[in-house]
Amino acid sequence: MPAKSAFVPVKRISKSEFKDKEKPAQIRGSNIVAAKAVADAIKTSLGPRGMDKMIQDGKGEVTITNDGATILKQMKVLHPAAKMLVELSQAQDAEAGDGTTSVVILAGAMLETSQKLLTKGFHPAAISDSLLHFASKAVEVLESMAIPVDLTDNASLLKSANTALNSKVVHEHSGMLAPMAVDAVLKIVDPNKDQNVDLKDIHIIKKLGETVEDSQLVDGIVFTQKSQGVGGPSKVEKAKIGLIQFCISPPKTDMDNTVLIRDYAAMDRVLREERQYILNITKKIKAAGCNALLIQKSILRDAVSDLGLHLLAKQKIMVVKDIEREDIEFVCKTLGCRPIASLDHFTPEALGTAELAEEFQAGDSKYVKITGVQNPGRTVSILLRGSNRQVLEEADRSLHDALCVIRCLVKKRFLIPGGGAPEAELSVKLTQYSHTMKGMDAYCFRAFAESLEVIPGILSENAGLSPISTVTELRNRHARGETHAGINVRKGSISNIIDENVLQPLLVSTSAVTLSAECVRSILKIDDIVNVIR
Ligand code: ADP
Ligand code: MG
């Protein structure tokens, strides 16, 4: 009998499996469905009458927010295409800071339109090309309706900050937060020179307690830490401030070692030595004229020992320790001092001068404020207050949006009306433009132009108006040339939205259109998902 073959016959892969035309379409379909689900999840948050979301994370921490980027960041999105929309929102956050909900909703609408075009037999690459053309044309239309704004025009800046804050949980405080955002940005930019704002120069310090109304813009610096040392001063006038990066504690050897002390005299000697060592440091600090000392956090050993604190307190030097490494640059810039890396460099020239350094009580914690800095750099600090953690966090995020809006105006000094006006205008103008085009491109163009009406539609739906009749009227008025007609959410009608002071930076809308089109184009071009098993 012949031996049984050791080979197991390999299953033949049929040719049809390679030619499976269904699969790319299925993958594309499932990507679109997943991404659209993300857009649908946040659409109720759009606009001043939009709802907020309460998000609970794994640890049971609760976040209440209206900000699209924050909602999506906290959502555990699994589908890779849905993740692209989350990243889209983050991209808009980085680029413009506001419009993070709108951008995702726009992408959702464009995806829906693409899906319809795909079922009609359009090739994904053709749709993608058309979308590229569409986005560049949309930016042109937006630019043509923009109103130039000057950074000295405080009223317009305030209006745009107000629009950004309108839709937030903390909107009732916009009367206070909007001017704060405008003042903060104007303080750190040179309107004639700067084309961008580094928001790192605006420090937001959150302290629980009181209400958002009690927040303040501090011309100086605020430390969330309390001042250290028992019996040390908690208020220093005419402060000479030193920022040290070395430690005021007994030095350690590089290797782990043990010192064995056998008799009391030796022990006494060690203690005396330590005291002498630390006393020497504190005396030198005092000799340089320093009366307020900031100490950088150290990971190697105690940045300042108890003995050090005691001796500094005795010399009437105020101490704030645990200054984070990444804050050093900001502190130096604000106080006009130099970071001091070793005791030898502790000279009077390295110190900063300020009128007052004082410790304050906030709820059950304390903070230190330094004001009246002699050579201040272009920085500001904002002390945010809030009665509970959720409100405080949301106030922080909202203020960030308002700051970003003003930053957009520094980058690109144009405003456009809000309230669905830009999207309605785009839709009308681009539909008109599509009539001048030929063939498939014209068809795609018109379909995408229509899809932009999703923003006014959702704005009106969230405001409790009928989306169909509102959007129809809006469309008609824009077709009649009323470029500034928008949804007046408060009165529930359509009116000149500029009269309602709803203005937003051009950059928010242009970046929303270009980024969402880019994201949709990349989703369209995907025809397979490959999972790598690790
Ligand atoms: P996003 O995260 O996209 O900024 P928002 O919830 O802030 O979302 O809503 C922004 C939209 O709300 C914009 O289209 C803006 O024009 C509109 N909007 C803001 N304030 C008003 C208002 N008072 N009346 C009408 N629309 C407004
Ligand atoms: Mg907004």
Side-chain angles (χ1 to χ4, degrees):
M1 212 176 123
K4 213 174 167 188
S5 166
F7 298 104
V8 181
V10 177
K11 185 185 159 230
R12 279 263 178 90
I13 298 173
S14 67
K15 276 185 184 162
S16 67
E17 275 181 49
F18 284 116
K19 284 187 186 161
D20 192 354
K21 274 201 178 153
E22 288 288 297
K23 195 175 173 197
Q26 267 172 16
I27 294 279
R28 216 170 274 124
S30 96
N31 280 349
I32 291 177
V33 168
K36 254 191 73 19
V38 173
D40 287 342
I42 60 166
K43 70 180 183 192
T44 54
S45 303
L46 184 77
R49 291 283 167 91
M51 292 292 155
D52 307 326
K53 304 269 179 234
M54 185 181 249
I55 307 157
Q56 190 173 26
D57 67 10
K59 286 187 219 131
E61 299 256 335
V62 174
T63 310
I64 299 174
T65 184
N66 180 284
D67 185 50
T70 312
I71 299 169
L72 292 178
K73 197 159 60 191
Q74 306 253 3
M75 265 170 33
K76 290 269 176 297
V77 176
L78 291 179
H79 198 286
K83 275 197 186 133
M84 288 177 72
L85 282 215
V86 177
E87 273 157 29
L88 168 67
S89 182
Q90 289 339 238
Q92 172 81 3
D93 203 25
E95 174 72 20
D98 193 20
T100 49
T101 317
S102 313
V103 73
V104 175
I105 293 176
L106 275 179
M110 287 177 183
L111 280 171
E112 195 174 332
T113 305
S114 311
Q115 178 70 309
K116 280 186 198 144
L117 293 171
L118 284 171
T119 47
K120 285 215 164 74
F122 281 84
H123 192 274
I127 303 176
S128 164
D129 289 347
S130 175
L131 201 50
L132 180 66
H133 182 194
F134 178 80
S136 72
K137 214 61 206 156
V139 171
E140 272 175 36
V141 175
L142 284 172
E143 280 171 353
S144 72
M145 69 187 289
I147 309 158
V149 62
D150 201 74
L151 290 187
T152 48
D153 179 5
N154 229 8
S156 296
L157 299 187
L158 265 181
K159 282 177 202 166
S160 41
N162 256 321
T163 306
L165 290 169
N166 260 340
S167 49
K168 303 293 177 190
V169 180
V170 292
H171 67 92
E172 67 263 37
H173 304 296
S174 61
M176 193 237 18
L177 291 175
M180 195 182 263
V182 174
D183 288 349
V185 174
L186 290 187
K187 224 168 215 158
I188 63 166
V189 295
D190 181 353
N192 301 322
K193 215 169 65 208
D194 288 335
Q195 292 300 321
N196 202 350
V197 185
D198 190 357
L199 289 185
K200 281 203 197 92
D201 289 337
I202 302 178
H203 248 208
I204 301 181
I205 295 104
K206 293 172 276 181
K207 271 277 168 191
L208 210 58
E210 300 197 78
T211 64
V212 179
E213 238 10 78
D214 298 301
S215 306
Q216 46 177 299
L217 189 73
V218 178
D219 203 359
I221 196 166
V222 177
F223 296 103
T224 43
Q225 302 92 319
K226 60 178 181 151
S227 75
Q228 301 284 326
V230 183
S234 59
K235 181 177 176 183
V236 175
E237 279 171 21
K238 303 250 172 303
K240 283 283 198 186
I241 307 146
L243 170 62
I244 60 167
Q245 294 180 305
F246 58 86
C247 301
I248 309 182
S249 57
K252 266 188 188 164
T253 48
D254 287 342
M255 280 174 293
D256 231 1
N257 64 353
T258 319
V259 179
L260 258 180
I261 298 174
R262 290 220 167 76
D263 61 86
Y264 187 76
M267 168 99 170
D268 209 27
R269 219 166 35 242
V270 169
L271 287 176
R272 218 170 330 122
E273 198 75 10
E274 181 185 335
R275 193 181 165 82
Q276 199 52 45
Y277 175 80
I278 305 246
L279 190 64
N280 179 34
I281 297 178
T282 57
K283 272 193 174 157
K284 272 206 173 160
I285 290 174
K286 186 73 189 171
C290 170
N291 56 9
L293 189 67
L294 310 174
I295 304 175
Q296 183 182 318
K297 204 177 207 169
S298 165
I299 45 167
L300 299 172
R301 54 182 158 125
D302 274 351
V304 54
S305 66
D306 286 345
L307 180 63
L309 282 176
H310 169 71
L311 293 174
L312 287 167
K314 254 173 101 176
Q315 311 212 42
K316 298 277 170 269
I317 298 175
M318 183 176 189
V319 179
V320 179
K321 65 171 193 175
D322 290 345
I323 309 286
E324 295 289 345
R325 215 187 129 80
E326 57 261 32
D327 291 342
I328 295 290
E329 199 187 329
F330 179 80
V331 173
C332 290
K333 207 169 168 185
T334 312
L335 298 175
C337 61
R338 270 206 313 261
I340 306 168
S342 79
L343 189 60
D344 297 337
H345 295 111
F346 204 100
T347 52
E349 299 85 67
L351 306 183
T353 313
E355 286 296 318
L356 186 67
E358 194 178 358
E359 187 182 56
F360 291 90
Q361 184 84 32
D364 50 7
S365 65
K366 291 180 176 168
Y367 66 93
V368 172
K369 193 157 95 177
I370 299 179
T371 48
V373 182
Q374 210 175 54
N375 300 314
R378 284 182 171 273
T379 62
V380 280
S381 299
I382 293 174
L383 180 64
L384 261 191
R385 309 299 310 273
S387 52
N388 64 46
R389 203 181 53 78
Q390 282 88 350
V391 170
L392 195 58
E393 298 280 334
E394 181 66 0
D396 178 22
R397 282 189 291 267
S398 309
L399 188 63
H400 173 79
D401 273 24
L403 289 171
C404 285
V405 162
I406 309 295
R407 181 180 66 175
C408 284
L409 292 176
V410 175
K411 280 192 195 169
K412 213 173 183 182
R413 300 178 186 182
F414 288 99
L415 281 169
I416 51 169
E423 291 81 9
E425 180 71 13
L426 277 179
S427 178
V428 168
K429 282 275 155 68
L430 294 176
T431 308
Q432 279 169 7
Y433 178 77
S434 76
H435 296 324
T436 65
M437 296 164 71
K438 280 198 204 108
M440 315 249 280
D441 218 14
Y443 193 92
C444 291
F445 221 83
R446 210 170 66 231
F448 284 122
E450 246 168 56
S451 75
L452 294 179
E453 284 182 347
V454 69
I455 297 278
I458 293 177
L459 267 181
S460 53
E461 197 174 328
N462 288 351
L465 308 171
S466 149
I468 293 176
S469 62
T470 314
V471 173
T472 310
E473 193 190 337
L474 191 65
R475 189 190 304 136
N476 292 344
R477 294 188 53 171
H478 276 265
R480 270 187 257 130
E482 289 184 42
T483 321
H484 299 159
I487 301 167
N488 187 340
V489 172
R490 289 203 188 86
K491 296 203 187 104
S493 62
I494 288 174
S495 61
N496 186 336
I497 203 75
I498 292 194
D499 295 343
E500 296 295 317
N501 296 337
V502 181
L503 284 162
Q504 59 195 32
L506 171 66
L507 188 62
V508 171
S509 296
T510 50
S511 116
V513 172
T514 36
L515 291 180
S516 55
E518 197 175 275
C519 175
V520 172
R521 289 181 61 219
S522 43
I523 291 180
L524 280 176
K525 288 212 165 171
I526 296 166
D527 73 347
D528 206 350
I529 298 177
V530 180
N531 282 317
V532 181
I533 299 162
R534 254 179 270 160

